[in-house]
Amino acid sequence: MDFATILQVLDSTVRLAAPLLLACLAGLFSERAGIFDIGLEGKMLMAAFFSAATAAVTGSVWLGLAAGIAASMVLAGVHGLASITFRGNQLISGVAINFLAAGLTVVIAQDWFAQGGRTPSLLGGARFEAITLPLADTVRPVPILGPIYHDLISGHTIPVYFAFSMVPLTWWLLYRTRFGLRLRAVGESPEALDTAGVSVVATRYAAVAICGVLCGIAGAYLATALQAGFTKDMTAGRGYIALAALIFAKWRSWHALWATLLFGLLQAIALRYQNLQIGGVPLPVQLMDALPYILTVVILAGFVGRAIPPRAGGEPYVKER
């Protein structure tokens, strides 16, 4: 494998890791506040559809992004209402959201566009365009560093750069602000936060809202940047992989970055080497497609070790009177 091929694989890794990273950070905010969210997949899928549909109709990717975030926020609100206000089972609520999104997106897409559950292909201003960073063309001839800057760091879309900038921002919010202290406290000991006069309900709803925004951006990126429109079940389990990455990262933002890059690398390798042969025997394409998911299970089963979630995670808070 030459240097150019390595850069191409790493470039694909960055693009594929971006939605995983956004969804992983979304789950991080929610679960740090004590709200387990299996519904990351459903929120991403709903956001992908409404962002693609709106962008196709209006021709504006920014309106599509806003629609995707709004759709994800609606489902986040439903999850918050079920889990926080009505103190329902958080896992069941998340699973219901996934089923709802999987069915509803196809039905609405067929009704609106009559293309078998798809949206029209997005062109021009309806898609995010790659950005060339300053001096990228100038430094390209420089050995090693030039191609890395031009081919790997430069040339991505705005959501990709936003996803990676969210890692230090998330760390700062959680560990250097009063809001972050309260959010972590509500996931560990909500009664202590309540005793201090801080609303447990408001803090958890804020975390769920942030989760909705990040899932909305992740879904919109899938439909308006990584691909050129919406297709049935296009999230392809990315929400679940993001949850696996969150456990692998042990609910820490910087660890989440490396975990999602690892899963993105596995997907990039699987996509690039579809006709891989070992000892002259070609590996089935289906095996290469399933490789990221298989390795996800292997990594979680054998390499994570003891991952301790927030103590109050999954438990509805009942205020003592």
Side-chain angles (χ1 to χ4, degrees):
M1 184 182 296
D2 58 12
F3 184 62
T5 303
I6 292 174
L7 284 182
Q8 291 174 2
V9 172
L10 293 179
D11 180 71
S12 297
T13 297
V14 170
R15 298 176 193 275
L16 293 169
L20 297 176
L21 180 57
L22 286 168
C24 187
L25 294 176
L28 176 62
F29 276 101
S30 181
E31 297 198 5
R32 276 286 190 174
I35 304 298
F36 288 163
D37 196 348
I38 304 296
L40 299 178
E41 177 87 359
K43 288 195 280 288
M44 289 174 64
L45 188 62
M46 191 70 80
F49 167 70
F50 278 99
S51 62
T54 303
V57 172
T58 65
S60 171
V61 68
W62 294 105
L63 290 177
L65 176 62
I69 293 175
S72 178
M73 289 284 288
V74 169
L75 291 185
V78 171
H79 183 57
L81 192 66
S83 302
I84 303 171
T85 302
F86 296 120
R87 306 188 188 99
N89 187 291
Q90 298 172 10
L91 300 181
I92 293 177
S93 173
V95 171
I97 286 174
N98 290 339
F99 281 115
L100 177 66
L104 200 59
T105 50
V106 176
V107 171
I108 298 177
Q110 178 62 23
D111 182 63
W112 286 0
F113 303 107
Q115 295 186 12
R118 303 166 60 96
T119 62
S121 296
L122 304 180
L123 302 172
R127 292 193 66 193
F128 281 107
E129 300 292 338
I131 298 174
T132 302
L133 296 180
L135 302 178
D137 294 327
T138 304
V139 302
R140 186 177 186 180
V142 178
I144 307 298
L145 295 180
I148 289 176
Y149 182 69
H150 182 274
D151 298 334
L152 181 58
I153 299 176
S154 179
H156 296 289
T157 56
I158 289 178
V160 173
Y161 294 113
F162 174 79
F164 285 90
S165 67
M166 276 300 300
V167 175
L169 180 58
T170 297
W171 174 85
W172 179 78
L173 281 174
L174 289 178
Y175 295 100
R176 291 294 184 270
T177 66
R178 181 178 298 178
F179 170 74
L181 176 62
R182 292 175 175 177
L183 188 143
R184 287 183 290 122
V186 79
E188 295 290 341
S189 181
E191 61 278 357
L193 193 70
D194 193 18
T195 302
V198 179
S199 174
V200 173
V201 171
T203 305
R204 286 186 166 178
Y205 264 112
V208 169
I210 295 173
C211 175
V213 171
L214 294 178
C215 282
I217 299 173
Y221 169 76
L222 288 176
T224 60
L226 194 62
Q227 298 185 34
F230 174 83
T231 59
K232 179 183 177 182
D233 295 330
M234 69 180 303
T235 48
R238 286 182 173 88
Y240 300 112
I241 293 181
L243 284 174
L246 182 59
I247 298 171
F248 186 40
K250 299 183 179 179
W251 294 271
R252 298 177 182 176
S253 58
W254 287 105
H255 293 67
L257 170 62
W258 304 118
T260 52
L261 282 174
L262 172 61
F263 294 133
L265 176 62
L266 296 177
Q267 287 186 315
I269 292 174
L271 289 173
R272 184 173 182 85
Y273 297 101
Q274 290 285 321
N275 298 316
L276 187 65
Q277 295 185 0
I278 296 180
V281 178
L283 295 179
V285 175
Q286 293 81 0
L287 178 61
M288 295 304 297
D289 290 337
L291 180 63
Y293 305 95
I294 295 172
L295 292 181
T296 296
V297 175
V298 172
I299 288 172
L300 285 178
F303 297 97
V304 173
R306 188 180 181 188
I308 303 175
R311 284 189 301 172
E315 299 178 2
Y317 177 67
V318 180
K319 185 179 179 68
E320 294 183 1
R321 299 185 183 276

